[in-house]
């Protein structure tokens, strides 16, 4: 059974409750020292929870959680601190964030071709962005753990019958006969995540980054001659630059041309799972023991689970990982300030990434106030634009889709709004795949509603395909190039 409304967790009685004492001054970000000491990976269980999962067999669940608690870390504190250091540079406008991947992974995506296709598009996008912005690009994949998805309703109708909603491979199956939440899927999520991450590390360390050297890029999908020529000009200039770097010997095995940092991320939705992968480990810089989520480098809290005095915020405030917060039209400005104070009481630069998701028709109404609220709070955050979630609509055939023009419109408005408010968009967050799917309409391929049926594969939200993802990167790069070389658009 799934719960969507606010409720207390069904398993709280099997754990000792931790008393959480919270004292937040209205004009201060200081949090009571006693509260910090009393935070544990279990303290979220004292709070109401949304998007929770209730398992019929509690003994089975406990066996699975006990197993998860003893499995080895997938990431290390050193990697987490390296990402935090890089995100600090992003927050200070010295680097740019590219975050992307599937809306929700399936276990079957843990395979060579899907993994390589996603890495390829992220690496190629990042190279285009580096060329356009002339600053480093930090790459974070929605990968190796992005299995769960929040749903607006705990049930749905399939062929006239009301059944439990599909909530992701780590909870239940997509087949209507497999909708009962199964604790074993938590273990399967761990092992599929570990296998994915292991393969990513292996190929990145073995020269896979060579794929972003442009040799196998094709622009045949671009139907507009003018647009194709603009893209080709960028590719040619990139190729010339890389050829020059090789000529002067800058393509050594340790060069950024051959090796890149690629970090993993997912939404921290299933707190039973996240709790088991939260470990007390030495800070690599100070040696002090701190709590790290070792299941991913970066986690985010969603728009549906970011309530100030509820379970997800309670969990997120205690871990050392960099944290993302989805920010949409329902976020009040004073609520955003309080949330930042809870998650990041020491106001560490770049600790929090605000992932804004309004919709092209709503962004001008809400983003300016949120920017001013963050400025007034004293927090220095990473501002990332998610132009996907607020622009979902139903196609004429009845499936969910997103229009490329709406995505670009929101991106353009976000850039201008930040400039007008003496701020800066520091990064982008996309749902994308490296495959030739037809889930979003528009782009240089000029996909129409009628084309969606050609290869519509998503089990959740529509994703940009390989070509549309590169379209976005080229457009952002062109904007940055014009900013560097001439007057603003």
């Amino acid at each position: 059974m799934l719960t969507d409304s606010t409720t207390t967790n069904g398993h709280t009685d099997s754990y000792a409750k931790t008393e959480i004492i919270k004292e937040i001054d209205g004009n201060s970000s200081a949090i009571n020292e006693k509260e910090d000491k009393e935070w544990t990976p279990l303290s979220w269980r004292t709070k109401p929870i949304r998007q929770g999962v209730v398992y019929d067999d509690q003994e089975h669940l406990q066996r699975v959680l006990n197993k998860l608690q003893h499995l080895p870390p997938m990431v290390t504190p050193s990697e987490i601190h390296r990402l935090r250091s890089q995100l600090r540079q992003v927050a200070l406008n010295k680097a740019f964030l590219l975050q992307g991947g599937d809306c929700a992974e399936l276990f079957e995506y843990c395979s060579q071709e899907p993994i390589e296709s996603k890495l390829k598009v992220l690496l190629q996008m990042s190279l285009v962005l580096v060329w356009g912005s002339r600053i480093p690009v930090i790459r974070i994949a929605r990968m190796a753990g992005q299995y769960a998805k929040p749903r607006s309703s705990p049930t749905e109708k399939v062929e006239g019958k009301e059944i439990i909603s599909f909530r992701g491979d780590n909870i239940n199956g997509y087949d209507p006969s497999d909708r009962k939440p199964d604790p074993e899927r938590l273990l399967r999520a761990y092992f599929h995540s570990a296998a994915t991450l292991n393969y990513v590390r292996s190929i990145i360390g073995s020269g896979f980054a060579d794929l972003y050297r442009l040799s196998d890029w094709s622009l045949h999908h671009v139907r507009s001659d003018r647009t194709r020529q603009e893209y080709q000009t960028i590719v040619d200039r990139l190729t010339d630059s890389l050829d020059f770097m090789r000529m002067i010997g800058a393509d050594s095995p340790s060069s950024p041309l051959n090796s890149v940092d690629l970090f993993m991320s997912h939404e921290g939705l299933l707190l039973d799972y996240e709790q088991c992968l939260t470990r007390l480990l030495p800070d690599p810089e100070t040696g002090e023991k701190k709590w790290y989520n070792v299941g991913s480098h970066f986690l985010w809290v969603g728009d549906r689970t970011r309530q100030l005095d509820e379970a997800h915020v309670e969990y997120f405030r205690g871990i050392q990982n960099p944290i993302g917060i989805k920010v949409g039209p329902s976020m009040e400005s004073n609520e955003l300030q309080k949330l930042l104070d809870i998650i990041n009481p020491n106001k560490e630069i770049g600790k929090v990434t605000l992932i804004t998701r309004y919709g092209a028709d709503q962004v001008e109404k809400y983003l300016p106030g949120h920017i001013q609220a963050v400025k007034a709070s004293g927090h220095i955050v990473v501002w990332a634009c998610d132009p996907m979630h607020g622009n979902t609509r139903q196609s004429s055939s009845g499936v969910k889709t997103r229009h490329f023009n709406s995505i670009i419109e929101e991106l353009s408005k976000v850039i201008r709004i930040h400039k007008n408010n003496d701020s800066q968009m520091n990064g982008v967050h996309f749902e994308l795949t490296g495959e030739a799917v037809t889930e979003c309409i528009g782009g240089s391929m000029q996909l129409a509603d009628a084309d969606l049926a050609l290869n519509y594969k998503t089990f959740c939200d529509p994703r940009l395909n390989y070509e549309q993802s590169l379209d976005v990167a080229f457009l952002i790069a062109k904007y940055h190039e014009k900013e560097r070389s001439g007057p603003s658009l």
Side-chain angles (χ1 to χ4, degrees):
M1 176 183 176
L2 303 184
T3 59
D4 189 64
S5 59
T6 305
T7 179
T8 55
N9 188 284
H11 335 308
T12 302
D13 292 342
S14 61
Y15 293 88
K17 291 187 177 180
T18 305
E19 181 184 3
I20 306 299
I21 300 176
K22 189 169 290 187
E23 184 180 316
I24 304 176
D25 189 294
N27 298 311
S28 170
S29 63
I31 290 186
N32 188 299
E33 188 176 312
K34 185 176 182 181
E35 177 196 9
D36 280 342
K37 291 181 178 179
E38 291 191 355
W39 186 93
T40 76
L42 302 178
S43 59
W44 64 269
R45 293 179 174 275
T46 67
K47 303 285 187 177
I49 189 169
R50 299 184 191 228
Q51 298 289 326
V53 183
V54 177
Y55 297 92
D56 291 343
D57 189 340
Q58 289 291 299
E59 291 184 1
H60 187 185
L61 173 66
Q62 292 307 316
R63 289 195 300 271
V64 166
L65 297 183
N66 289 339
K67 173 67 174 176
L68 282 170
Q69 288 172 347
H70 292 89
L71 290 172
M74 285 185 270
V75 304
T76 67
S78 293
E79 293 172 335
I80 292 168
H81 277 265
R82 186 161 73 249
L83 176 57
R84 285 193 57 170
S85 175
Q86 293 182 18
L87 288 173
R88 187 180 192 277
Q89 296 302 300
V90 176
L92 294 173
N93 303 326
K94 296 178 180 179
F96 191 83
L97 171 64
L98 171 63
Q99 187 170 10
D102 288 298
C103 169
E105 290 179 281
L106 298 178
F107 291 156
E108 66 184 57
Y109 295 171
C110 182
S111 184
Q112 179 179 351
E113 186 174 343
I115 292 172
E116 290 184 357
S117 68
K118 278 191 281 286
L119 293 191
K120 175 182 175 180
V121 71
L122 286 171
L123 292 169
Q124 290 184 342
M125 289 176 72
S126 69
L127 186 58
V128 172
L129 293 171
V130 167
W131 176 86
S133 64
R134 295 297 197 270
I135 58 175
V137 171
I138 313 307
R139 307 159 189 88
I140 303 180
R142 291 172 56 114
M143 199 173 183
Q146 178 55 15
Y147 296 113
K149 285 295 291 183
R151 298 301 295 267
S152 56
S153 172
T155 61
E156 62 183 343
K157 283 194 174 181
V158 176
E159 297 180 351
K161 182 180 178 182
E162 189 171 17
I163 62 174
I164 294 172
S165 296
F166 174 60
R167 283 282 305 278
D169 261 1
N170 56 354
I171 298 175
N172 55 4
Y174 184 75
D175 189 285
S177 65
D178 194 22
R179 294 297 176 88
K180 179 181 177 181
D182 180 3
E184 288 297 321
R185 286 180 172 270
L186 297 175
L187 280 175
R188 293 174 65 190
Y190 172 90
F191 287 113
H192 281 86
S193 298
T196 298
L197 185 53
N198 181 63
Y199 185 58
V200 169
R201 283 196 172 112
S202 297
I203 60 177
I204 288 292
S206 303
F208 182 84
D210 290 349
L211 281 176
Y212 82 106
R213 291 188 180 183
L214 313 176
S215 60
D216 58 350
W217 286 25
S218 172
L219 299 176
H220 295 308
H221 67 279
V222 183
R223 296 189 180 182
S224 164
D225 291 338
R226 178 181 176 182
T227 302
R228 187 188 307 113
Q229 184 56 50
E230 289 177 347
Y231 290 1
Q232 189 63 54
T233 298
I234 294 175
V235 172
D236 290 344
R237 292 170 68 179
L238 274 168
T239 303
D240 288 343
S241 298
L242 289 170
D243 285 343
F244 175 76
M245 296 298 287
R246 294 188 195 100
M247 186 184 305
I248 64 173
D251 60 341
S252 65
S254 61
S255 166
L257 296 178
N258 298 287
S259 178
V260 299
D261 278 337
L262 183 68
F263 300 99
M264 300 295 128
S265 69
H266 64 259
E267 180 176 358
L269 190 62
L270 296 187
L271 296 185
D272 280 316
Y273 179 84
E274 305 301 344
Q275 161 198 305
C276 294
L277 291 172
T278 305
R279 312 288 170 79
L280 190 61
L281 298 170
D283 181 319
E285 298 171 0
T286 67
E288 180 185 354
K289 291 286 188 72
K290 297 178 180 178
W291 291 104
Y292 296 87
N293 184 309
V294 293
S296 189
H297 301 106
F298 179 106
L299 295 97
W300 72 86
V301 59
D303 201 42
R304 293 186 176 100
T305 54
R306 52 161 177 73
Q307 292 71 26
L308 298 178
D309 197 34
E310 295 188 10
H312 286 82
V313 170
E314 172 60 24
Y315 171 77
F316 274 83
R317 77 173 181 86
I319 58 176
Q320 294 298 307
N321 305 62
I323 300 301
I325 299 173
K326 289 292 188 84
V327 179
S330 63
M331 176 78 83
E332 299 290 341
S333 292
N334 64 341
E335 179 188 12
L336 177 55
Q337 292 174 326
K338 292 176 182 177
L339 184 55
L340 287 171
D341 287 342
I342 294 170
I343 296 292
N344 186 23
N346 296 323
K347 297 186 178 179
E348 298 171 75
I349 299 175
K351 160 79 173 179
V352 173
T353 297
L354 295 181
I355 307 167
T356 61
R357 39 156 297 173
Y358 304 100
D361 60 343
Q362 297 282 325
V363 61
E364 292 171 314
K365 180 178 179 181
Y366 294 102
L367 179 56
H370 288 156
I371 292 173
Q372 294 305 320
V374 173
K375 283 189 169 191
S377 74
H379 288 269
I380 300 177
V381 303
V382 173
W383 285 101
C385 173
D386 169 4
M388 306 290 291
H389 282 90
N391 294 302
T392 306
R393 67 170 182 80
Q394 194 170 51
S395 70
S396 58
S397 60
V399 298
K400 287 196 292 186
T401 189
R402 290 158 173 162
H403 201 298
F404 187 83
N405 289 349
S406 298
I407 292 168
I408 297 304
E409 181 183 355
E410 180 165 356
L411 264 175
S412 300
K413 287 180 177 179
V414 166
I415 291 171
R416 291 187 176 92
I417 291 168
H418 275 289
K419 286 186 65 176
N420 292 340
N421 286 270
D422 194 26
S423 178
Q424 184 168 317
M425 185 186 81
N426 305 120
V428 286
H429 183 114
F430 297 114
E431 290 183 339
L432 56 80
T433 177
E435 301 174 53
V437 299
T438 53
E439 297 168 2
C440 295
I441 59 177
S444 62
M445 297 178 73
Q446 299 178 13
L447 292 178
D449 269 14
D451 298 316
L452 294 176
L454 295 175
N455 198 22
Y456 193 94
K457 297 174 67 173
T458 183
F459 289 87
C460 193
D461 289 336
R463 303 160 293 176
L464 297 173
N465 61 25
Y466 171 77
E467 291 82 6
Q468 291 166 330
S469 299
L470 286 182
D471 286 344
V472 174
F474 280 126
L475 291 171
I476 296 174
K478 284 171 59 182
Y479 166 79
H480 282 297
E481 183 192 20
K482 290 178 180 178
E483 283 287 286
R484 288 188 290 104
S485 60
S488 302
L489 293 177

